[in-house]
Amino acid sequence: MKIKEISKTVLDTWKITFSTLKNTPGLVTPFLIAGLVDFLILALIYLAPRPPLSALLAPPIRVFWGERFLHYPFNLLLIPRLFNYGHIISTAFIGVLMTGAAIGMLKEASGGLKPNILFNLIKSLRLYLRLLVIWLVMFGLATLAFRGLPLILQLKQPAARQLAFYASFLISIFMQSVFIYAIPAVIIEEKKTWPAIKRSVSFSGGIFLPTFFLLALPMLFYIPLLMLQGRLPDLINRFFPEIVLVILGLSIIVSVITDCLVTCSTAILFLNQRKEK
């Protein structure tokens, strides 16, 4: 595709996306639900050292990380790691279902119907195992990019590690651009897992660069937050320990907005390109 065609496809898709979200605000509901679950997880982790939650959550923290991480301010140093684990679990169980429901609602909206979240949530639940396998593939590849590249290069200098982080970020978006249409293929076309992955690979081949930009532009908002999370010990010393909660809370909000824009824009592009072919 030529540069003008790429930019036109991206801009047209964004226009349709924002117009659809404006006219059908209920489409945001699945992403808000996923965000609320993350806020609940963050609150539970923060309150883990305190009764009554301490009876359930304090023992594993004590076993794996030690007694001191149950006391202020060391407990705040452990929150980002625990929240990361919790976010992965919530995404696998709740986020995947909500993404499927949102795509189903977009299909209804594009057909002139009023989106029904309950109907699409039930449909997403029926297809959950397919969606989960696809998410695991994408999550595994992204994790491999962020963990594998620094490990292979064995970087020690901070500047080199920072450069590897940006390279891993681009590689992650590149890989997601190839597989992003697998979930729409399951929800919209009801394909099985591996046919859906094949469908995504072949489909993204013709519109790879527009897809890449639809993913990359919203995800740029992640970079400052990821950099801040990497400097949390310094920020705690410079400001106050509770800044951990502020940064993680902002990351949840950014995640909700980014997931909404990426999911909706790519699903709309998928629907529009299917109509043209």
Side-chain angles (χ1 to χ4, degrees):
M1 298 180 71
K2 296 180 180 179
I3 295 176
K4 288 185 178 180
E5 293 177 345
I6 294 169
S7 59
K8 185 178 185 305
T9 302
V10 172
L11 290 175
D12 288 348
T13 303
W14 280 128
K15 288 178 183 178
I16 297 171
T17 300
F18 288 118
S19 176
T20 304
L21 290 171
K22 180 182 178 182
N23 296 329
T24 317
L27 289 170
V28 181
T29 303
F31 304 101
L32 292 177
I33 292 172
L36 287 173
V37 171
D38 276 347
F39 272 116
L40 178 61
I41 290 171
L42 181 59
L44 290 174
I45 293 171
Y46 174 65
L47 296 173
R50 306 177 186 182
L53 292 175
S54 58
L56 178 65
L57 300 178
I61 293 175
R62 186 178 292 111
V63 169
F64 288 103
W65 289 283
E67 179 68 29
R68 70 170 185 160
F69 286 104
L70 290 170
H71 303 282
Y72 183 89
F74 298 104
N75 63 311
L76 291 166
L77 290 172
L78 186 60
I79 285 178
R81 178 182 291 186
L82 294 179
F83 176 73
N84 183 49
Y85 297 151
H87 175 69
I88 292 171
I89 294 170
S90 73
T91 302
F93 287 99
I94 305 298
V96 168
L97 287 174
M98 293 303 160
T99 298
I103 292 172
M105 293 170 71
L106 272 169
K107 180 185 177 182
E108 290 178 335
S110 68
L113 301 174
K114 184 178 180 180
N116 186 321
I117 186 171
L118 182 59
F119 170 81
N120 286 289
L121 190 56
I122 292 171
K123 180 179 180 180
S124 184
L125 188 60
R126 178 171 60 84
L127 301 170
Y128 173 70
L129 288 178
R130 302 180 194 180
L131 300 176
L132 179 62
V133 171
I134 291 168
W135 177 81
L136 287 171
V137 170
M138 296 176 67
F139 174 75
L141 290 172
T143 303
L144 184 63
F146 279 101
R147 300 280 178 86
L149 187 61
L151 187 63
I152 292 171
L153 298 178
Q154 295 183 346
L155 302 174
K156 296 182 179 179
Q157 296 297 326
R161 289 200 298 268
Q162 194 75 11
L163 186 61
F165 167 79
Y166 291 124
S168 300
F169 191 79
L170 286 174
I171 293 170
S172 173
I173 297 174
F174 179 93
M175 291 187 295
Q176 288 184 65
S177 299
V178 175
F179 297 101
I180 193 72
Y181 298 109
I183 290 181
V186 169
I187 297 296
I188 296 170
E189 300 177 342
E190 295 206 15
K191 290 186 178 292
K192 294 185 178 180
T193 305
W194 299 116
I197 291 174
K198 290 179 182 178
R199 170 71 161 145
S200 181
V201 172
S202 62
F203 189 87
S204 64
I207 50 170
F208 178 80
L209 288 177
T211 302
F212 180 85
F213 286 114
L214 288 174
L215 268 68
L217 294 176
M219 286 186 177
L220 289 176
F221 291 106
Y222 273 130
I223 292 180
L225 289 169
L226 290 172
M227 293 176 66
L228 285 174
Q229 289 184 36
R231 296 184 56 200
L232 277 176
D234 294 334
L235 293 172
I236 288 173
N237 291 330
R238 183 175 297 183
F239 297 101
F240 50 91
E242 287 77 8
I243 197 170
V244 170
L245 301 176
V246 175
I247 293 173
L248 291 177
L250 285 173
S251 72
I252 293 172
I253 294 171
V254 170
S255 178
V256 169
I257 295 171
T258 302
D259 289 349
C260 179
L261 292 177
V262 167
T263 301
C264 292
S265 62
T266 52
I268 285 170
L269 183 58
F270 183 80
L271 286 165
N272 290 341
Q273 291 291 321
R274 286 175 72 245
K275 292 176 184 177
E276 294 175 5
K277 291 181 180 179

